[in-house]
Amino acid sequence: MRTSIMIGEVRGPATAADLRDQAAAATGLDGIWAAQALGWDALTALTMAAAQAPDLSLGTAVVPIRQRHPLVLASQALSVQAATGGRLTLGVGTGIGAMTTGMFGLPADHAARYLREYLDILLPLLRGDPVTHSGEFFTLSGTVHLPTDPPEVLVAALSPRLLHLAGSRTAGTVTWMAGPRTLESHVVPRVTAAAGSAGRPAPRIVAALPVCVTNDPGAARDHVAARFGMAAHVPEYRAVLDREHVPGPQDVALIGDEREVTAALGRLAATGITEFAAAPVGTLAEQHRTTELLRSA
């Protein structure tokens, strides 16, 4: 199992200097991931981070697709791929419905059909192929020309339909808040079976979770519950927490001292995931302590 780290606002409010420091501290790990939330653009954050960690892979976990036309996202992703020497993995997802409709005024229904059509357009665009398309959601004609190899694409998925789409059409899946029970019994077997049925290589399965190495686990759980509490109240994350049989994000986070978090990392590795993307949380000292453990794990 590869071990990577998340940078940016998933860890708390982050300045440009914070992003650079977090990326530099990732030396010795396998990769850096950035989420698209309410602040930093994930692809921009990764481009900034790339100079501080020239040997690490980079990935978005994830970019919601409803707000970005596939021609726009293809151009952005290929630009980052070219600027960082071909290190990008483009993680995409259908997004949180309440944010899609409430903030952007966009429809959020028919997620699997929308994603399937989006991939029909995005994947050839990333290869530099011209696309002329008229479908249920998009009508377009265009191409993106950049002298770089296409980035691998991962799909954020939990439902059986989206997991099948991730395994059969892309390099795999990336999850957030999925604990070991859900990964082992639901995510890993479904996406692996879909890739096999499609004749594709074994999929990449990247699992992202909050982590805090601490001597005060109660305070760390309270911090995670407060910071990520929304996840317990929106259908997309309520579903993943229900599969894990836990009430909130604090119950899937990896929290404890070095021995306890190391044991939790071993449990994750046993699920069959290919990469763990850790989001260090807590005080700055706890985040540094967490990063040190991840580096030595």
Side-chain angles (χ1 to χ4, degrees):
M1 180 182 76
R2 286 165 49 92
T3 303
S4 299
I5 202 164
M6 298 193 74
I7 65 169
E9 64 195 286
V10 70
R11 299 167 61 165
T15 65
D18 292 331
L19 287 179
R20 289 191 288 266
D21 289 346
Q22 291 169 5
T27 300
L29 297 173
D30 294 306
I32 293 172
W33 295 83
Q36 182 69 46
L38 301 178
W40 281 98
D41 173 74
L43 287 161
T44 304
L46 289 175
T47 306
M48 292 176 57
Q52 309 301 318
D55 299 324
L56 301 191
S57 64
L58 309 166
T60 58
V62 295
V63 175
I65 58 175
R66 296 271 187 174
Q67 300 93 297
R68 302 201 196 197
H69 192 281
L71 275 166
V72 173
L73 183 55
S75 176
Q76 291 174 317
L78 287 170
S79 296
V80 175
Q81 178 78 329
T84 61
R87 291 187 277 153
L88 178 67
T89 294
L90 179 63
V92 300
T94 55
I96 297 172
M99 292 178 67
T100 302
T101 56
M103 293 179 63
F104 295 93
L106 298 171
D109 53 354
H110 308 304
R113 296 210 313 261
Y114 187 93
L115 178 60
R116 184 178 295 109
E117 185 171 332
Y118 197 100
L119 292 174
D120 287 343
I121 301 164
L122 178 67
L123 295 176
L125 287 174
L126 291 174
R127 295 192 299 264
D129 298 337
V131 173
T132 298
H133 179 91
S134 180
E136 181 179 3
F137 302 103
F138 293 98
T139 298
L140 64 94
S141 181
T143 188
V144 180
H145 292 296
L146 269 170
T148 186
D149 293 330
E152 284 195 323
V153 175
L154 302 179
V155 167
L158 179 66
S159 73
R161 283 192 299 171
L162 291 183
L163 286 167
H164 183 270
L165 197 56
S168 62
R169 295 290 307 281
T170 74
T173 191
V174 55
T175 66
W176 173 243
M177 293 292 178
R181 180 198 302 265
T182 300
L183 293 167
E184 185 172 49
S185 66
H186 180 69
V187 173
V188 172
R190 287 183 182 274
V191 75
T192 301
S197 296
R200 297 182 60 87
R204 294 175 62 186
I205 304 170
V206 181
L209 287 167
V211 186
C212 184
V213 179
T214 180
N215 293 330
D216 191 351
R221 289 191 183 92
D222 290 344
H223 173 81
V224 171
R227 179 157 187 81
F228 301 107
M230 182 189 72
H233 303 287
V234 298
E236 293 85 356
Y237 290 122
R238 185 65 262 165
V240 73
L241 294 170
D242 285 345
R243 281 193 176 276
E244 199 67 20
H245 304 305
V246 297
Q250 67 275 13
D251 301 297
V252 292
L254 279 57
I255 296 173
D257 61 20
E258 281 80 359
R259 179 186 58 81
E260 292 167 317
V261 172
T262 297
L265 290 171
R267 175 71 181 97
L268 281 174
T271 66
I273 65 172
T274 62
E275 184 169 347
F276 176 54
V281 295
T283 66
L284 190 58
E286 287 170 333
Q287 291 186 38
H288 287 161
R289 185 176 170 186
T290 299
T291 302
E292 285 299 319
L293 175 66
L294 294 169
R295 189 180 291 113
S296 62

